[in-house]
Amino acid sequence: MRILLETDRLVLRAFTEADTDHLLALDGDPEVMRFIDGGRPTSREAILTSTLPRLLHDHPCFGTRGYWAAEERATGAFLGWFEFRPLDDHDPRVVELGYRLNRSAWGAGHATEGARALIRKGFTDLGVERVTANTMAVNTRSRRVMEKAGLSFVRTFTGDWPEAIEGSEHGDVEYELTRDEWERLRRSGATVSPSPSPAR
C-alpha cells in the first residue's frame, strides 16, 4: 500500500480497486453529496467506470496520484479522500485542493489537518507554486477549511454545470495560496501546515 504522508491522526494512501465499497458508501450519503450533485447517490457502475479511474490516475509531473484515500491513523478506518491534483498533467506548478469525507469525520478538524499537510508536501517536495480550491458559495464548511488551511478568497464566479442544484444560483468561489504567501505565513508564525510524519 503506497502511503503519501501521515499526520498526527491521518494516513493518506493510494486508492485501489478494493476501495469500491468505501467510495460507494461515501458517495451514497446525500449529505456528503449535497454540494456535488444535490444529494443524489453515485451508482456502483459510475464508481467503477468513472470515479475509480480518476482516483487511480498517476500524473507524470508528480510521478504519483492526485487523489488519496484518507484513513484514521489509530484505527485504519476509511474517512474519505483528499485531492491534490495538478491542473496540467505535465506541470506541477498549479494544483487543485479538494476533500470529501464521511459525515462521521466532519467537525473534527480532519479536513484542515489533511489539507495543511498536502500543502506543505506540495510546496516543499512536489514543485508546486500555487494551490487553488473551488466550492459552491453557500458551502460554508468547505470554505472554512480552505481559510484554516491558509487559502484566501479570490473571486466568485458562475460555473458551467450541467444542471442547477439548490444554492447554485449564488455561484461558486475560488480560493488560492501561493508558495510565497505560504512562506510568509510560516515566517510570521501562523499555523498553516503542520509537518507530516514520515510515511511508514
Side-chain angles (χ1 to χ4, degrees):
M1 180 172 62
R2 189 175 4 154
I3 293 175
L4 177 69
L5 58 83
E6 297 184 7
T7 68
D8 288 344
R9 298 182 297 165
L10 303 174
V11 174
L12 300 192
R13 63 158 176 85
F15 274 99
T16 73
E17 292 182 0
D19 288 306
T20 298
D21 287 341
H22 290 145
L23 293 166
L24 195 61
L26 179 68
D27 288 5
D29 185 332
E31 286 299 310
V32 170
M33 301 302 286
R34 157 74 179 86
F35 297 106
I36 309 301
D37 62 11
R40 292 192 307 274
T42 305
S43 69
R44 180 176 289 273
E45 180 182 4
I47 294 290
L48 291 172
T49 61
S50 179
T51 304
L52 263 176
R54 184 175 76 251
L55 302 185
L56 297 176
H57 176 67
D58 285 315
H59 299 273
C61 64
F62 278 177
T64 190
R65 303 280 173 82
Y67 292 86
W68 300 90
E71 293 181 344
E72 188 174 36
R73 186 172 179 176
T75 66
F78 179 84
L79 299 179
W81 54 253
F82 285 87
E83 172 192 10
F84 201 70
R85 177 181 59 88
L87 297 187
D88 182 331
D89 246 8
H90 301 281
D91 188 343
R93 289 176 295 178
V94 182
V95 302
E96 182 171 70
L97 171 70
Y99 29 81
R100 187 177 302 173
L101 300 180
N102 288 321
R103 235 190 304 179
S104 61
W106 292 3
H110 293 306
T112 301
E113 185 173 325
R116 287 175 173 173
L118 282 168
I119 289 168
R120 179 184 177 88
K121 178 78 172 176
F123 287 147
T124 58
D125 294 342
L126 300 176
V128 174
E129 295 292 336
R130 182 166 70 94
V131 177
T132 183
N134 304 297
T135 190
M136 288 177 63
V138 295
N139 191 350
T140 55
R141 287 193 190 97
S142 185
R143 294 181 69 167
R144 279 199 299 271
V145 171
M146 294 173 190
E147 291 162 1
K148 288 178 180 178
L151 281 73
S152 298
F153 173 78
V154 176
R155 65 185 177 118
T156 300
F157 65 99
T158 302
D160 185 20
W161 299 105
E163 61 181 280
I165 62 176
E166 184 181 351
S168 61
E169 67 273 15
H170 299 288
D172 296 284
V173 289
E174 179 182 0
Y175 283 71
E176 74 169 13
L177 176 64
T178 66
R179 182 199 292 264
D180 288 344
E181 290 166 345
W182 181 77
E183 290 287 0
R184 280 197 297 272
L185 287 169
R186 290 182 69 201
R187 286 194 297 270
S188 71
T191 304
V192 292
S193 297
S195 299
S197 303
R200 61 187 174 203

